[in-house]
Amino acid sequence: MPHTLEHIGALGFKSSKLRGELILTDNLKIIEGGAFNDASGLYGTFYMPQKIEHLGENAFCGLGNNLVGDIVIPQSMTHIPGGAFRLNFAPSGTNLILHDGVVSIGDSAFANTRIRNIIDWPESLQFIEKNAFWSVYMINGNFKFPPNIKKITDGAFRYNHISGELVLPESMTSIDAVFNCTDISSVV
């Protein structure tokens, strides 16, 4: 893509038959909903442009198993939209890096994406929406939510391999049927 490109519209490359390396430049400011949805012929090392002002729902949903690299959420994003990174990345997994400033993670934002690191939750995080981390097969070790988390909704971590201690902060006001994990040793 040209380095001058600043905007990719809704459904821009949805279900396209493009085959090649996905290279996004730092000049990109807007990637609208479904821009790369189901464009599974793309491959390479994933790089999230750091000047993104708007990322739409399902922007990178369904790219398939051909991408490697980390998902580093840029400082400009405080909300990760629903389905944004769902169904992606090589079977070996990816690391998810969240900056302190992320407030909410939308419905199914990372569902079925293999995340291999223990996530360092930003203190600013308040909401984790429905199915946000559905079946990502992550988290071995203690799982501690940030002190300002208020709500974790239905299925947010369902079908994961979370082992160790689950630590819920005093700030939490609502937790739904979030976990379906058999290896949690205790809840604090």
Side-chain angles (χ1 to χ4, degrees):
M1 297 198 188
H3 72 278
T4 55
L5 188 64
E6 294 181 356
H7 178 253
I8 298 174
L11 310 176
F13 297 98
K14 183 184 184 332
S15 301
S16 72
K17 302 296 181 204
L18 288 175
R19 299 239 180 264
E21 189 167 8
L22 177 61
I23 300 174
L24 302 173
T25 69
D26 263 334
N27 286 327
L28 267 172
K29 294 178 183 170
I30 298 170
I31 301 174
E32 292 191 30
F36 293 96
N37 192 350
D38 294 325
S40 59
L42 299 173
Y43 61 85
T45 301
F46 181 79
Y47 172 75
M48 183 72 178
Q50 297 300 296
K51 293 181 183 176
I52 289 291
E53 296 169 0
H54 173 77
L55 183 67
E57 290 192 0
N58 299 310
F60 296 106
C61 176
L63 289 178
N65 295 326
N66 301 319
L67 293 176
V68 296
D70 296 341
I71 300 173
V72 179
I73 302 300
Q75 293 289 327
S76 56
M77 289 181 63
T78 59
H79 171 70
I80 300 168
F85 299 96
R86 187 168 53 104
L87 296 168
N88 287 323
F89 293 90
S92 61
T94 184
N95 291 315
L96 174 60
I97 313 298
L98 302 171
H99 66 86
D100 195 27
V102 172
V103 175
S104 62
I105 299 173
D107 292 359
S108 302
F110 299 98
N112 295 101
T113 294
R114 302 292 181 248
I115 296 175
R116 62 178 174 235
N117 64 316
I118 295 177
I119 298 170
D120 186 12
W121 301 106
E123 288 196 19
S124 56
L125 187 63
Q126 296 178 25
F127 305 99
I128 300 174
E129 300 298 335
K130 183 178 177 183
N131 302 327
F133 293 93
W134 174 286
S135 192
V136 298
Y137 299 101
M138 63 174 194
I139 317 299
N140 290 310
N142 293 338
F143 195 79
K144 183 178 180 179
F145 286 105
N148 295 316
I149 195 90
K150 291 182 170 86
K151 184 176 183 180
I152 303 174
T153 59
D154 185 35
F157 294 92
R158 190 169 288 152
Y159 303 118
N160 279 294
H161 298 284
I162 297 174
S163 64
E165 185 176 77
L166 177 64
V167 181
L168 303 175
E170 293 293 324
S171 63
M172 186 166 287
T173 59
S174 177
I175 187 166
D176 293 333
V178 172
F179 298 96
N180 183 359
C181 310
T182 57
D183 297 329
I184 295 174
S185 61
S186 64
V187 179
V188 180

